[in-house]
Amino acid sequence: MESLSQVMKSIPESKQFDSGKEKVKRLLSDPLIKKFLLKHPELTDRDLKVHMNRLYEYVKEYNQCEMCPGLEKCPNDFKGHYTKLSVETSNDLSHIYDQKVSCKKLIASQAQEKIRKRVRSFYIDERALNEGYSANEILMKDAERYESAKLVSEYIVKTKTEGLSIKGLFLQGGFGTGKTFLMCYMLYELAKKGHSGVIVYVPDFIEDLKDMMKDSKRLKDTIEMLKTTDLLVFDDIGAENLNPWARDHVIGTILNYRMNRKPTFFTSNYDIKGLEKHFSFTNKDGEEEHKAQRLMDRIEPFVKVIEVKGTNKRRVN
């Protein structure tokens, strides 16, 4: 953006004097400058003359902010910032200093970015985490889902008030009823309170473990993150093609660490008993009821079961 001196240079020399006087007069009569001068009566005409460019920038950016086109199209010299003036007096001389200050839109955007960074997803459509959430939409979008949405909302409020519990939630229900949506909403809301969260789409996670076995550091880092994050969501558990190693040494290890420490959450098309049956059968060893029960001992006592009813939103055109 042009400074006052640049504007002056663009005017033919013969007209600069009169035009310059008019511009200075208009600038000093601007309501913003009048308000600034009332606050700082110590400023003399000399002080104003020396710092005219700063006064010009101050007014120009203020006016641009008043007509803000949005953060992405911010016309100010420093995107998302505006000029703020201050005055310091020394030896009977007053100096006007300018400072670039973050605007409300930039502060809000940075706050949102911090929230997003607290929540990580594995194999989940990022739109489910990044789209805006409305409490009314959560509660009222499907009348059949109201009771389950209400219980999730109550869990969120309690966690915000009392801190993390060792108990999570187990959302069971049919396809497309909004179980993942409710968990993403929970992660987003609790991220506002500073809690970190991870949501994992279990079927793809189990498949990816085959590649992770070739990279021990990646495998170790991933498991460590899932063990220690404040909030962990295993999404669509029970839909995976399970093998004994993934069940006992990955999911089992993660849940064994988290129980009595941090809450874990689950979404599933199975109920608790159905999930136990699923865990008892693997693609290699067949029926293993004892190992399934062992895993469920790390799930069932540490969750509140919520049935999510409603229509399949994925089939709604």
Side-chain angles (χ1 to χ4, degrees):
M1 291 295 167
E2 293 180 306
S3 67
L4 183 61
S5 60
Q6 289 172 320
V7 171
M8 294 296 295
K9 287 177 183 177
S10 68
I11 302 172
E13 190 172 343
S14 60
K15 298 181 180 179
Q16 279 189 15
F17 183 75
D18 289 340
S19 179
K21 282 179 65 176
E22 184 60 33
K23 285 182 180 294
V24 169
K25 184 179 178 181
R26 283 206 308 270
L27 179 63
L28 295 179
S29 64
D30 187 283
L32 196 63
I33 297 301
K34 284 185 174 181
K35 185 177 178 180
F36 179 72
L37 294 178
L38 282 174
K39 187 178 178 181
H40 297 284
E42 70 273 21
L43 290 171
T44 65
D45 288 343
R46 177 197 169 282
D47 299 328
L48 297 177
K49 184 177 180 181
V50 170
H51 300 291
M52 198 62 67
N53 266 348
R54 285 174 179 164
L55 296 175
Y56 175 79
E57 268 310 292
Y58 177 55
V59 172
K60 181 191 70 174
E61 293 196 344
Y62 178 86
N63 291 332
Q64 288 175 168
C65 287
E66 285 287 284
M67 304 288 289
C68 179
L71 188 59
E72 288 303 314
K73 296 181 179 180
C74 175
N76 290 351
D77 292 343
F78 290 92
K79 182 178 174 180
H81 293 77
Y82 63 91
T83 296
K84 184 176 181 180
L85 299 181
S86 61
V87 176
E88 290 185 14
T89 302
S90 175
N91 298 323
D92 295 326
L93 291 175
S94 294
H95 298 272
I96 300 174
Y97 295 94
D98 58 350
Q99 178 185 3
K100 296 297 182 181
V101 180
S102 300
C103 72
K104 290 180 180 179
K105 283 186 171 60
L106 178 61
I107 293 170
S109 175
Q110 290 172 335
Q112 286 296 108
E113 186 60 26
K114 285 182 181 179
I115 290 170
R116 282 193 288 269
K117 285 182 177 179
R118 290 188 191 115
V119 180
R120 295 194 59 181
S121 67
F122 287 82
Y123 325 104
I124 296 283
D125 188 344
E126 287 291 332
R127 287 175 299 178
L129 286 169
N130 292 335
E131 64 181 70
Y133 291 101
S134 159
N136 284 334
E137 182 183 10
I138 294 292
L139 291 169
M140 307 303 293
K141 193 169 186 178
D142 187 334
E144 291 184 78
R145 193 174 70 184
Y146 177 84
E147 189 58 34
S148 57
K150 180 172 174 286
L151 292 171
V152 172
S153 294
E154 288 173 355
Y155 184 92
I156 292 168
V157 171
K158 185 176 181 180
T159 303
K160 285 181 176 179
T161 305
E162 301 177 8
L164 290 179
S165 163
I166 62 169
K167 292 194 76 167
L169 301 173
F170 186 100
L171 272 55
Q172 64 184 50
F175 296 103
T177 51
K179 300 183 295 296
T180 303
F181 185 75
L182 286 170
M183 287 294 91
C184 287
Y185 172 68
M186 179 198 69
L187 290 177
Y188 179 83
E189 284 297 307
L190 295 181
K192 292 179 183 178
K193 296 294 288 185
H195 297 301
S196 61
V198 176
I199 181 167
V200 180
Y201 181 63
V202 177
D204 285 352
F205 175 60
I206 297 300
E207 286 299 310
D208 199 32
L209 284 173
K210 297 172 185 176
D211 290 330
M212 287 193 204
M213 289 176 67
K214 303 171 188 175
D215 185 344
S216 59
K217 185 179 185 306
R218 182 186 169 209
L219 178 61
K220 181 180 177 182
D221 290 347
T222 301
I223 291 176
E224 189 64 24
M225 178 176 55
L226 300 185
K227 283 165 60 176
T228 57
T229 187
D230 291 339
L231 308 151
L232 173 63
V233 179
F234 279 127
D235 186 49
D236 210 6
I237 196 165
E240 70 281 354
N241 184 18
L242 202 60
N243 62 70
W245 177 76
R247 179 193 60 197
D248 303 331
H249 298 288
V250 178
I251 294 178
T253 297
I254 293 166
L255 294 178
N256 189 63
Y257 178 89
R258 293 184 66 83
M259 65 178 187
N260 290 316
R261 284 191 177 95
K262 294 184 177 182
T264 308
F265 306 81
F266 306 85
T267 76
S268 183
N269 298 134
Y270 286 113
D271 60 15
I272 287 285
K273 292 300 179 186
L275 186 62
E276 183 173 340
K277 183 67 176 175
H278 167 75
F279 283 148
S280 71
F281 185 85
T282 66
N283 58 8
K284 289 186 178 181
D285 292 353
E287 200 79 17
E288 292 185 300
E289 290 185 9
H290 176 70
K291 290 186 177 180
Q293 290 172 359
R294 189 169 181 269
L295 189 59
M296 293 307 297
D297 285 344
R298 286 151 177 76
I299 296 177
E300 192 169 4
F302 300 99
V303 293
K304 177 178 181 176
V305 176
I306 296 176
E307 184 178 4
V308 182
K309 299 178 181 179
T311 57
N312 187 343
K313 309 299 183 299
R314 296 171 192 157
R315 289 186 175 270
V316 176
N317 293 324

